[in-house]
């Protein structure tokens, strides 16, 4: 006789719909579209200090660029120099290489600017034979306006009285003079100031310039006198 109290282990009965009874429920039907959730990364945020530093740097950059453009557009041109005439007289050279001589130069100084005046105080000037300095002087003050072709003639005198000159230099200078032509260099240097808009302080109103008038050839003009010119000079700004 079978014990009715014993449990019978068997297979679950399938229902008419094909679903198993007593098991796990069937998985849900897959939908046609699947949605994937992505957690976006947080965007970095500029702090208050970063924003203001960026704005400050941008403002400085704009100011520097604007100032560079303004400087290039408004930077005044340097004055023009030329030697209209240079003369040598009273020349004498001793056997001990002592030289006596007088030079007289006539400069023409012009202002090429149409919106800026310029002026200078005293300027230093020297006469050289090649690169050997012979005599120096000072040129008086000058001021020029913005009138078209504004220019002025400036005189300068240089003198040597039995001054010692290196033997090789004196011999070379004497040889050229006897041949009927000798070349001298004239140098001028000093500070020039620009007026009008440049005097506001935004742009430099003063520049140090050097003027070179090289190889001014003097030829015999009369007894004991040699003359030469005109000669255009080179003007450079010294930084």
């Amino acid at each position: 006789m079978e014990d009715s109290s014993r449990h019978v282990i068997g297979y679950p009965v399938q229902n008419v719909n094909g679903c198993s009874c007593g098991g796990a429920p069937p998985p849900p039907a897959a939908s046609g579209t699947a949605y994937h959730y992505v957690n976006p990364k947080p965007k970095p945020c500029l702090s208050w200090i970063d924003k203001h530093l960026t704005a400050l740097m941008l403002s400085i950059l704009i100011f520097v660029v604007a100032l560079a453009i303004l400087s290039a557009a408004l930077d005044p041109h340097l004055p023009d120099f030329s030697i209209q005439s240079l003369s040598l007289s009273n020349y004498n050279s001793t056997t001990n290489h002592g030289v006596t001589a007088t030079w007289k130069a006539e400069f023409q100084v012009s202002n090429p600017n149409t919106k800026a005046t310029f002026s200078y105080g005293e300027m230093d000037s020297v006469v050289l034979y090649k690169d050997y300095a012979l005599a120096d002087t000072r040129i008086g003050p000058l001021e020029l306006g913005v009138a078209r072709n504004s220019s002025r003639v400036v005189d300068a005198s240089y003198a040597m009285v039995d001054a010692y000159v290196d033997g090789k230099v004196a011999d070379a200078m004497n040889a050229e003079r006897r041949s009927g032509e000798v070349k001298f260099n004239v140098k001028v240097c000093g500070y020039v100031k620009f007026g009008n808009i440049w005097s506001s302080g935004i742009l430099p109103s003063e520049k140090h310039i050097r003027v070179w008038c090289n190889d001014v050839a003097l030829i015999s003009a009369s007894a004991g006198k040699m003359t030469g010119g005109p000669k255009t000079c080179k003007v450079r700004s010294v930084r």
Side-chain angles (χ1 to χ4, degrees):
M1 178 180 294
E2 297 179 357
D3 187 358
S4 59
S5 63
R6 296 177 61 186
H7 295 284
V8 178
I9 300 175
Y11 297 98
V13 179
Q14 300 291 329
N15 63 11
V16 295
N17 294 323
C19 296
S20 61
C21 297
S31 61
T33 304
Y35 295 94
H36 300 280
Y37 178 76
V38 179
N39 185 20
K41 295 181 179 179
K43 295 182 179 179
C45 272
L46 289 177
S47 67
W48 181 88
I49 296 178
D50 291 336
K51 290 180 180 179
H52 281 72
L53 284 177
T54 302
L56 179 62
M57 292 176 64
L58 184 60
S59 300
I60 293 175
L61 179 62
I62 293 174
F63 175 77
V64 170
V65 172
L67 184 61
I69 295 174
L70 184 64
S71 299
L74 300 180
D75 192 30
H77 297 288
L78 299 176
D80 295 326
F81 278 76
S82 64
I83 284 187
Q84 296 302 299
S85 67
L86 179 66
S87 65
L88 170 64
S89 59
N90 304 321
Y91 185 88
N92 183 52
S93 177
T94 66
T95 56
N96 295 326
H97 302 121
V99 174
T100 297
T102 301
W103 290 265
K104 288 189 178 181
E106 190 176 83
F107 295 95
Q108 180 171 299
V109 186
S110 303
N111 181 14
N113 298 289
T114 58
K115 295 182 180 179
T117 64
F118 93 90
S119 62
Y120 61 78
E122 294 183 346
M123 302 271 277
D124 295 320
S125 184
V126 59
V127 173
L128 306 95
Y129 177 77
K130 301 188 184 302
D131 59 352
Y132 190 91
L134 298 173
D136 57 13
T137 190
R138 295 183 71 83
I139 300 174
L142 174 67
E143 182 174 352
L144 286 176
V146 295
R148 185 176 180 83
N149 297 324
S150 178
S151 63
R152 186 82 58 83
V153 174
V154 178
D155 296 325
S157 297
Y158 315 79
M160 299 176 66
V161 179
D162 198 23
Y164 173 80
V165 176
D166 181 84
K168 293 182 179 179
V169 174
D171 292 342
M173 190 165 53
N174 290 334
E176 284 192 21
R177 182 172 172 273
R178 287 192 297 267
S179 70
E181 179 182 287
V182 58
K183 294 181 179 180
F184 293 99
N185 301 325
V186 181
K187 181 180 177 182
V188 180
C189 61
Y191 289 88
V192 295
K193 294 182 179 181
F194 297 91
N196 292 349
I197 56 176
W198 288 273
S199 61
S200 62
I202 298 177
L203 297 175
S205 61
E206 185 178 75
K207 288 190 176 183
H208 185 199
I209 65 169
R210 287 182 180 175
V211 183
W212 287 273
C213 310
N214 294 332
D215 297 329
V216 184
L218 274 61
I219 59 175
S220 298
S222 60
K225 186 175 182 179
M226 305 182 77
T227 60
K231 183 76 174 184
T232 301
C233 307
K234 295 180 180 180
V235 184
R236 294 289 183 270
S237 176
V238 182
R239 299 295 180 183

